[in-house]
Amino acid sequence: EQVERTAEWAVSQRGFIDMIEVDVFDAEALAQTLDHLDDTYQGVATVALDHPRVRVAIDDLTQRGIPVITLVSDVPHSRRLHYVGVDNPAAGRTAGSLMGRFLNQREGVIGILVGSLALRDHAERHFGFNQVLTQDYPHLKMLPVVEGRDDFELSKKCVLDMIAQTPNLIGLYSAGAGNRGIAQALVESQMGNQIVWIGHELTAHTRRFLFQGIMDAVINQDSGHEARSAARLLLAHCWNETVLED
């Protein structure tokens, strides 16, 4: 939605945005989409999977003179022009600190759900979360990471499986999407009041979950600002304008 709004703004700046939807969890599909972009495009912003095939595709676009911005999730060892997004390890550390404080000395097990550890933003959030819980809350044990691919039904199943297999599950950290499925799992299992659930992105759905008391905290990022920043960076590159890094 924010990219669509940015596209409306970009027209006034003599810029035109096409939006292409790709399965971000499929490295080959994403790489092929980047490979097949023609020289009509003078810049590309992509939510990128940190995978060798995707890195090569980004580098090839750059070699062809088409700058690439990584958006939300970075590929730092590629030749991308800039990364636009939050400090994901810090976001994970914030989630970890909130989890420890909200549980208030309760002992038990924490479940961790990500879309995919191949997405760098999810992996970095998990890293930050794990860092804080390991150092500051050693009495809380973490289950192995489960990948829900940001899918409603799969995320629901993952959480229901966690609850069924872990009697002392007292916390849930979701580093990706699929929040509606998670909420449904907590409601159906009647565990919404017993499990502290912390996730990401303030949407109409997560706002409702917060008010209902199903979700305990949301770490948000300004998607509108990110979409506009990516467009501005690419436009500045096209016009050979100086970018102030700070």
Side-chain angles (χ1 to χ4, degrees), residues 220-243:
N220 192 44
Q221 57 186 321
D222 189 337
S223 55
H225 177 67
E226 290 170 339
R228 291 188 298 272
S229 293
R232 288 190 182 108
L233 285 166
L234 290 172
L235 287 170
H237 182 83
C238 290
W239 298 332
N240 197 30
E241 293 181 346
T242 301
V243 174

Side-chain angles (χ1 to χ4, degrees), residues 59-142:
D59 291 349
D60 287 346
L61 277 172
T62 302
Q63 184 67 32
R64 288 165 49 194
I66 302 176
V68 178
I69 300 287
T70 51
L71 182 63
V72 178
S73 188
D74 195 14
V75 185
H77 300 296
S78 69
R79 296 175 61 188
R80 54 102 169 111
L81 183 66
H82 289 284
Y83 161 63
V84 175
V86 301
D87 183 336
N88 284 296
R93 287 192 291 270
T94 298
S97 178
L98 289 173
M99 181 67 75
R101 292 165 62 187
F102 286 2
L103 287 172
N104 194 26
Q105 302 302 315
R106 289 172 62 191
E107 293 190 6
V109 177
I110 310 298
I112 301 174
L113 181 69
V114 302
S116 171
L117 287 177
L119 277 174
R120 194 174 186 91
D121 58 331
H122 293 194
E124 288 182 339
R125 290 172 185 176
H126 170 243
F127 170 79
F129 184 83
N130 180 75
Q131 189 179 42
V132 168
L133 256 68
T134 300
Q135 293 178 356
D136 298 341
Y137 304 98
H139 61 285
L140 296 173
K141 308 304 178 185
M142 286 173 280

Side-chain angles (χ1 to χ4, degrees), residues 2-241:
Q2 293 297 342
V3 172
E4 290 173 350
R5 293 180 184 178
T6 299
E8 296 173 3
W9 164 83
V11 172
S12 67
Q13 307 297 313
R14 294 176 291 130
F16 302 92
I17 296 175
D18 289 338
M19 187 157 56
I20 303 171
E21 293 188 16
V22 187
D23 181 359
V24 74
F25 300 109
D26 186 335
E28 186 59 32
L30 177 57
Q32 286 189 18
T33 300
L34 294 173
D35 287 341
H36 292 156
L37 293 175
D38 58 41
D39 292 341
T40 302
Y41 295 102
Q42 295 170 286
V44 173
T46 180
V47 178
L49 196 71
D50 191 6
H51 184 278
R53 182 71 177 85
V54 176
R55 287 197 293 272
V56 170
I58 291 173
D59 291 349
D60 287 346
L61 277 172
T62 302
Q63 184 67 32
R64 288 165 49 194
I66 302 176
V68 178
I69 300 287
T70 51
L71 182 63
V72 178
S73 188
D74 195 14
V75 185
H77 300 296
S78 69
R79 296 175 61 188
R80 54 102 169 111
L81 183 66
H82 289 284
Y83 161 63
V84 175
V86 301
D87 183 336
N88 284 296
R93 287 192 291 270
T94 298
S97 178
L98 289 173
M99 181 67 75
R101 292 165 62 187
F102 286 2
L103 287 172
N104 194 26
Q105 302 302 315
R106 289 172 62 191
E107 293 190 6
V109 177
I110 310 298
I112 301 174
L113 181 69
V114 302
S116 171
L117 287 177
L119 277 174
R120 194 174 186 91
D121 58 331
H122 293 194
E124 288 182 339
R125 290 172 185 176
H126 170 243
F127 170 79
F129 184 83
N130 180 75
Q131 189 179 42
V132 168
L133 256 68
T134 300
Q135 293 178 356
D136 298 341
Y137 304 98
H139 61 285
L140 296 173
K141 308 304 178 185
M142 286 173 280
L143 291 174
V145 176
V146 176
E147 297 186 346
R149 296 179 68 85
D150 288 353
D151 177 78
F152 174 99
E153 291 296 340
L154 181 55
S155 296
K156 176 182 174 181
K157 181 182 183 302
C158 289
V159 174
L160 286 174
D161 288 346
M162 283 185 199
I163 293 171
Q165 298 166 12
T166 316
N168 56 342
L169 186 71
I170 59 173
L172 177 63
Y173 173 50
S174 173
N179 289 314
R180 283 178 292 168
I182 296 170
Q184 194 168 335
L186 291 172
V187 170
E188 289 184 7
S189 64
Q190 298 183 338
M191 294 293 287
N193 293 327
Q194 300 178 48
I195 293 176
V196 172
W197 172 26
I198 296 175
H200 288 262
E201 316 317 338
L202 186 63
T203 65
H205 297 296
T206 55
R207 185 186 297 275
R208 185 172 70 255
F209 301 150
L210 285 168
F211 282 126
Q212 292 173 339
I214 302 169
M215 200 171 194
D216 294 273
V218 170
I219 313 299
N220 192 44
Q221 57 186 321
D222 189 337
S223 55
H225 177 67
E226 290 170 339
R228 291 188 298 272
S229 293
R232 288 190 182 108
L233 285 166
L234 290 172
L235 287 170
H237 182 83
C238 290
W239 298 332
N240 197 30
E241 293 181 346

